[in-house]
Amino acid sequence: MEAKVFASSQPILSLRGISKYFGGVHALEDVDFDVYPQEIVALVGDNGAGKSTLVKIIAGVHRPTKGHIFFQGQPVEIHSPHDAQALGIEIVYQELALIETRDVPANFFLGREPVKGRLGIFVDRRKMVEDTVRTLRELGIELPYLRSPVRYLSGGQRQALAIGRVMPWGGKIIIMDEPTAALGVKESRRVLDLILRLKEKGCSVIVISHNMRHVFNVADRIVVLRGGRKVGDKKKSETTPDEIVKLIVGADML
Amino acid sequence: MRYVEPGLVLRFARNQLAALLVILGGMVLLLSLLTSTFLTANNIFNVLRAFSWIAIASFGQSIVIIGGGIDLSAGSNMAFAGIITAMLLLAGYSVVFSILVGLLITLGIGLLNGLMVSKTKLPPFIATLGTMSIVRGFCYGMTQGWPVRNLPRSFMFLGQTDIWRVPLPAIIMIGLAVFCAILLEKTKLGYHVYAVGGNEYAASLVGINTGRVKTIAFTLSGLFAGIGGLLMTARLGVAAPTAAQGYELDIIAAAVIGGISLTGGEGSVWGALIGAAIMQILRNALVLMGFPAYWQPAAIGAVIIGAVMIDMYRKRKV
Amino acid sequence: MKGKQWIVVGLVVLLVWGCVIGVSAAEKKKLTFAWIPKALNNPVFELGRDGAFAKAKELSETTDYIVEVLYVGSVASDAAEQVRVVEDVIARGVDGIGISCNDPDALVDVINKAVDAGIPVMTWDADAPQSKRFTYLGVSNYDGGKAAAELLIRYMGEKGKVALLTGVPGAFNLEERIRGFKDVIKNYPEIEIVTTVACYDDINLGVQVVEETMQAYPDLTGWFFVGLWPLFAERGSMPLWEEAAKSGRVKTVAFDTLPVELEYLKEGLLVGLVGQKYWGWGYDTIQMLFDYVVNKKEFPYWTDSGMDIVTIHNVDAMIEAWEKKDFTKPLPPPFPEE
C-alpha cells in the first residue's frame, strides 16, 4: 500500500532499507525515506512508531543497524551531529536547547560564536548582534528584547529563535521535532509561517508533528510510520487527514 | 518588526550590578553618617585589603558556579598555597620560585577537581568536599599543626605594601577582576561557561565540549584560591594550617550575594567583587559600631538571605 | 562553627618506649597510658605530648615499670570523633586514660564505659565533671582571667578604655576567662570595657578586628587577648596596634605563653602573659595516672595545675624552657621586687 515515489527530481537525501535495533527492540525496520530540495516533509505516527529514531539517525545522534544513506546521490556515513552539520543537516532542538539565562545573540550563535582578533579567543559581539538582527528580520521573527535573557521571551518567541538560529549555517535540511507542541494558536501560526519561509529560502524541512491541521497546512508530503515500518508516503494533494489518521492507527483497527 | 531595547527603568531593574551598587552605596552612606571612623582613608583601605583575598578566591569560585558547579575546596586551597610557599621560602628558595610552585600546586588541585567532575562524573559538591578534606589534611600533616613563621620580608612585601596608600592586594584584586570579566564576557570560553551552567544539555547538543569547560573552570578556581591564599599569607607573615578554615562559605556567599545564581548560567565577577565588599563592610561596621561579637554571625546570615531574596524578587518582578 | 564543620577522621598513633630495653626489661611490668588531646592540629598539645613522653621515660628509668604513652586523637576538635577515639582505646586495652574533653557532656558516657571496663580515667585541660573520672587536672580559667586583669591594671593603671578579643563566642574556657577578667575590672569604675570582638580562632580575622577596633577607639588604653590568635601574624600586619603598643599608649595582656608571644613580650609590645602549663598537661597527667594505678594514691575531685605568669622579668627563663623543651624547673616570679 506504499505510495509511489516522486521521481521528478533527485532527492537531496535518501535513506534506503534503514533498520535500527536497540537490543531486542526493533525501532525501525527496513525504512526508505527521501527528502527533495525545497520540500517540507511531515513525519507522522503514533508514539513509539520510530519518528524520533529516524530523525536522530539523519542527525547523526544514532547510527543505523542496517541500511544506507545517500546525500545528493552520494553514499555517506553520518557518525555524529558534527558530520550531519557538515552536510548541511541541522536539527532544531526545542526550547530545551536554549540557554535561558543568556540573551538572544548568545543563544543564536550558541557553540559557534564568531571570533575576532589574532588570538582567536575573543568573541565578535558586534557581528553576533548584526547577524542575529539580520537573520531574524529575514525570517520575520519579532523579538522584543534582544539583550535580555531568553527567559523573558514567550514560548513562541523562543521557538522562533530556536528555529531561526539554524538558518545562518547554510542548512540544506532542517529537522524539527514537534515545533508547535507547546504553543498557542497564534504562536503556532507564526512558527508555521516560519517553516514556509525557510522553504522559500531554499531549505528542505522535516517536521515531526501530531497536529493534522498543522501538517496539512505546511507539508508537501506526508510520511507515516507505524511500529517501525513505513506505512504511508503521500503527497498532500493526494490524501486527506482521515486517510493519514487511518494509516497512523492501522486501518485494520477501524 | 521591532528590536527595541527595554526602557531605562526596566533595564536598571534588570541589572543586577546596579541593584548591588545601590545596596553597597546605601551601606556606605549609612555608615558614614553613623560613625566618624568609617569613611576615613585608613579604614577604607583596611577594608579593601581585608576582603581582597576572599574576593580573589570568589572570582574563581564565580567561574565555577556560573559554569554550574561549586568548589568547596577553595578555603583549603588558600591555606595550602600559603603553606607550600612558606615552606619553600624557609628552605631557602627564591620568592618567585616559591610563589610559582605554590600556585602551580593549587592549580593542579583545581585541575584534579575538574577532571573528577568532568571525567568521573562526580557531583562537584562531593568531589570538592573530598579535596577540601584531603588538602586540609596535607596542611596539618606537612606542618604538624604548627604555623609556618619567619617568612622573608621580600615575600611579605606582597601583602603589606601600599601604592599611593592603596594596598597592593587590592590592586591585584582589581586587576584579576578585570581579567576574569574579560574572560567571562568577551571570550568564547566565557560564553561556553555560561552555556554549560545555563543548560548543560543544550550546550552539549550544539557541540560544546562541556567537560573541557568545567575542567578549565575548576582549574581557574584552584589558581585564584591560591593567589588569594598567598596574598593573605604575605599580609600576615604566617602560614597556618588552620588558615582560611570555613572561608569557602564566605567565598561562596560573596558570589551569591553578588547575584551569581547557584543554579548556574548567570552573574558576573563584578557581582562577586561587590558581594565580598558588602560582607566585609558589614563585618567592619559591626566592629566600628561596637555591635556585640555574639550577634555578628546572625547579622551576616541575615544579609546573605536578604541579598539573595532581593535578587530573586527582582528576577520575578521584571 | 569553624573547625567543627569540617570533620576529618585522622588517627595518629605514636608509641614511645619510655625505657631503655635492657636485660631487666623482661622482668619489668608494662603500663600503657592513653593521652588524648582535644585535637591533633593544635600545636600547644604537642608540648603536652612531649611532657607525657618525658615523664614516661623518667618513670621507666626510675621505677619497676615500663611506662608507655599512647598519643591518639582526632585531627580537628570534634567531640563525636573523640568519643570514637576513646572507644578504640578501650577496645585496644590500656592501663589508664588521660583526656582533654572536647565537650563536657558528650564524653561522659564513654568515660564511664572505660571506668566500668576497669580503665581509670582522668581529665586534664578540659573536664567532664559528670563522669566517673577520678580527678581533673586543670586551671581555673576564671582565675586566669582575674590574673590577666590584675596584670593589665598593674601596667595600665586604674583607669582607661579596654577592649577584649575572644575566639569563638560561647567557648566555655574563653567565657570563663572573660568572666574572671570582668569581675576584677568591675572594681575599677574608671576602667571601661568598650567592646568585645571575636575572631573565630582565625589569625586573619583576628588581625582584622584588632585593627578595626584600634580604628574605632583611638583612645583605647588596654587590650586583653583571651587567646593568642593575631599574635601568630608577623610584624607589620597590625600597624595601628603595633604603633600604639610600641609607644606605650596601649598595654596588652594575652593568654597563653607560646614562643611567638614571648617574642612580642620581649619587644615590649605585650606587657604580660597568663598561660597554662602545657607541658604539665602531659608530664603531670602521666605521673598522676601512675600514682593512681601503682601507688593507689587518692586524688581530690579537682587538682589545680597552677598558672604561669610571664612578664618582662621572667620572660628569659620561659624562652629558655621552650628552647630546651624542658619545663621541669619552676619559673622565676613575675615581679621579683615583691
Side-chain angles (χ1 to χ4, degrees), chain C residues 308-319:
Chain C
D308 285 333
I309 309 262
V310 181
T311 65
I312 195 69
H313 303 293
N314 60 359
V315 65
D316 288 325
M318 196 68 182
I319 290 173

Side-chain angles (χ1 to χ4, degrees), chain C residues 197-224:
Chain C
V197 288
C199 73
Y200 298 88
D201 294 356
D202 185 87
I203 299 172
N204 175 38
L205 267 181
V207 164
Q208 193 56 35
V209 291
V210 166
E211 284 299 278
E212 282 167 357
T213 307
M214 294 304 296
Q215 192 99 47
Y217 305 97
D219 50 351
L220 204 68
T221 55
W223 265 108
F224 174 34

